[in-house]
């Protein structure tokens, strides 16, 4: 029997609450599909930082490296200054493990109300492949004369041919496995240096190795418009790190909210573990209320299982999530609740069906 080793980082706020539901579903999937997991909890995040002063030591990072996957809830607490947990934990893992693809599906499930009036599921099923290790996230730049009237701040966008080409190749492959259409999103009319590199690599890789994939290009501002007005024009979207960050929040809104937005930080080469996390944050305002929607965490678990080769289990998650969302639309069946843990309980039932 296959055993997968999973590092579990519940994190802060609602992170541990939604991850607990994901793990409940995972327990059931193991019985149904005949695999096992060995899970090790790591106490990391803002709360831990405030208590110990430690964000993520190199020793802990090296322990994490030995796992097959990392399952993350959410990190960050309001009382920690911005950047410390983001850079010291989340980005540290993404960069150290070279998780160069951030995969974020934008899919409107039947039964879910989109804020876009009249949007139907047939018109909204795309995935964003966000470059995850470069651009302004690389942290290049600095500050001169801080706090003085002469203060200067630079924040450079780093784009390497290597980094761009590998994420483009991943996106072309993804498009090949879907409807065969890839859209590059950038801002080539203004960011001519970085945009030029992206566009040349896009054309060259497409011509040389993916002539069967139809490709086009959309400026990021127009992409925001189309994501709302005609999401059906997208199949796979590939874009640089910051644009990908921004448009996937818009995508999350279009598909019905952050509670439904899953995300996978992938090292497709599998040299290091990949990390799976809902897009939403730690939502400190609703901690302990039972109002956190565990679906994004469960859908991220589905991505984790697919990546580890447990496709049967991943398919069960997909069907169960779809079934649950359809139920929400109608009258919720007798005996089925709607709190965080009740949704988890219902998913445990639903993954066993069909
Ligand atoms: C996300 C988040 C992170 C990002 C932050 C918390 C560093 O917004 O995963 O989208 O910008 O990548
Ligand atoms: Mn974001």
């Amino acid at each position: 029997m296959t055993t997968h080793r999973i590092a579990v980082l519940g994190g802060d706020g609602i992170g541990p609450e939604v991850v607990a539901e994901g793990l409940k579903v995972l327990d059931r999937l193991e019985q149904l599909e005949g695999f096992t997991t060995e899970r090790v909890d790591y106490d990391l995040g803002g709360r831990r930082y405030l208590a110990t002063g430690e964000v993520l030591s190199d020793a802990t990072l090296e322990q994490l490296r030995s796992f097959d996957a990392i399952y993350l809830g959410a990190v960050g607490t309001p009382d920690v200054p911005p950047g410390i947990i983001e850079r010291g934990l989340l980005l540290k893992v993404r960069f150290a493990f070279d998780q160069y693809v951030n995969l974020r599906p934008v899919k409107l499930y039947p039964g879910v109300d989109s804020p876009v009036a009249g949007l139907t599921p047939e018109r909204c099923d795309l995935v964003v492949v966000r470059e995850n290790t470069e651009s302004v996230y690389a942290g290049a730049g600095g500050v001169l004369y801080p706090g003085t009237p002469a203060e200067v701040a630079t924040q450079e966008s780093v784009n390497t041919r290597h980094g761009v080409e590998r994420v483009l190749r991943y996106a072309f492959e993804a498009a090949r496995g879907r409807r065969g259409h890839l859209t590059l999103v950038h801002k080539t009319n203004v960011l001519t240096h970085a945009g030029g590199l992206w566009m040349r690599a896009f054309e060259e890789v497409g011509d040389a190795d993916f002539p069967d994939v139809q490709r086009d290009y959309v400026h990021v501002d127009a992409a925001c418009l189309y994501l709302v007005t005609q999401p059906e024009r997208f199949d796979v979207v590939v874009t640089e790190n910051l644009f990908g960050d921004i448009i996937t929040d818009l995508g999350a809104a279009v598909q019905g909210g952050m509670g439904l937005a899953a995300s996978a930080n992938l090292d497709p080469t599998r040299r290091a573990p990949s990390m799976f996390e809902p897009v939403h944050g730690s939502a400190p305002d609703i901690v302990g209320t039972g109002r956190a929607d565990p679906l994004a965490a469960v859908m991220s678990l589905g991505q984790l299982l697919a990546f580890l080769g447990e496709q049967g289990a991943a398919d069960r998650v997909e069907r169960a999530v779809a079934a649950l969302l359809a139920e929400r639309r109608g009258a919720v069946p007798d005996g089925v609740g709607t709190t965080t843990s009740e949704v988890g309980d219902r998913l445990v039932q639903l993954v066993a069906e069909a």
Side-chain angles (χ1 to χ4, degrees):
M1 199 187 291
T2 319
T3 299
H4 305 288
R5 297 188 67 239
I6 302 175
V8 179
L9 280 60
D12 297 309
I14 62 168
E17 300 175 11
V18 295
V19 158
E21 301 315 309
L23 296 178
K24 251 162 47 178
V25 173
L26 181 58
D27 287 338
R28 187 74 185 104
L29 289 167
E30 291 181 24
Q31 299 163 350
L32 292 162
E33 293 287 327
F35 66 95
T36 58
T37 59
E38 182 193 328
R39 306 170 201 166
V40 180
D41 278 309
Y42 283 85
D43 177 22
L44 295 169
R47 201 173 18 95
R48 166 97 196 298
Y49 168 73
L50 288 173
T52 67
E54 192 173 295
V55 182
L56 173 62
S57 70
D58 290 341
T60 306
L61 187 71
E62 286 319 303
Q63 285 181 29
L64 292 177
R65 194 185 290 279
S66 71
F67 287 85
D68 297 315
I70 300 167
Y71 188 38
L72 175 90
V75 289
T77 40
D79 33 8
V80 178
I84 294 181
I85 304 300
E86 292 85 343
R87 283 220 162 268
L89 178 52
L90 206 52
L91 300 187
K92 186 166 177 175
V93 171
R94 289 178 185 174
F95 292 175
F97 295 164
D98 211 13
Q99 295 165 342
Y100 64 86
V101 168
N102 191 324
L103 194 63
R104 297 185 163 181
V106 178
K107 177 171 172 173
L108 179 63
Y109 283 85
V112 175
D113 271 330
S114 169
V116 178
L119 187 63
T120 53
E122 306 72 55
R123 291 181 47 217
C124 183
D125 181 7
L126 60 114
V127 298
V128 177
V129 175
R130 165 185 173 188
E131 200 290 323
N132 211 30
T133 58
E134 300 195 336
S135 174
V136 290
Y137 281 76
V143 181
L144 276 175
Y145 319 120
T148 73
E151 180 163 351
V152 180
T154 58
Q155 196 89 51
E156 298 271 345
S157 175
V158 176
N159 299 261
T160 68
R161 174 73 193 214
H162 165 74
V164 169
E165 187 166 328
R166 63 184 184 175
V167 76
L168 286 173
R169 287 189 180 281
Y170 182 91
F172 272 114
E173 293 285 359
R176 193 174 258 170
R178 289 174 49 98
R179 302 193 297 275
H181 181 211
L182 178 63
T183 304
L184 171 63
V185 166
H186 207 284
K187 186 74 183 173
T188 55
N189 52 346
V190 176
L191 307 185
T192 50
H193 308 310
L197 192 163
W198 273 87
M199 185 56 95
R200 266 180 283 114
F202 185 56
E203 300 290 349
E204 287 168 22
V205 170
D207 279 345
D209 296 325
F210 301 91
D212 52 313
V213 174
Q214 195 198 338
R215 57 176 199 262
D216 65 355
Y217 169 81
V218 176
H219 289 319
V220 64
D221 44 355
C224 291
L225 180 84
Y226 293 148
L227 268 171
V228 173
T229 58
Q230 38 175 313
E232 65 271 26
R233 85 172 298 302
F234 299 117
D235 176 16
V236 178
V237 170
V238 64
T239 190
E240 65 99 73
N241 208 339
L242 182 61
F243 294 154
D245 175 48
I246 296 167
I247 68 170
T248 53
D249 267 32
L250 180 57
V254 170
Q255 68 175 358
M258 277 296 184
L260 300 177
S263 131
N265 302 272
L266 304 178
D267 167 16
T269 71
R270 295 169 192 272
R271 278 179 301 222
S274 294
M275 178 164 69
F276 301 82
E277 49 162 338
V279 177
H280 63 66
S282 54
D285 50 322
I286 59 165
V287 175
T289 63
R291 283 171 50 218
D293 193 339
L295 277 181
V298 171
M299 291 155 101
S300 303
L301 175 74
Q303 291 182 304
L304 181 156
L305 291 165
F307 193 74
L308 294 185
E310 298 294 347
Q311 194 57 50
D315 291 343
R316 283 182 185 274
V317 170
E318 172 73 18
R319 288 195 300 266
V321 165
L324 185 119
L325 290 168
E327 281 181 4
R328 277 188 187 171
R329 170 56 144 232
V332 175
D334 283 349
V336 175
T338 55
T339 65
T340 308
S341 67
E342 287 166 346
V343 170
D345 292 343
R346 182 62 181 147
L347 287 168
V348 167
Q349 295 172 349
L350 288 169
V351 289
E353 287 174 15

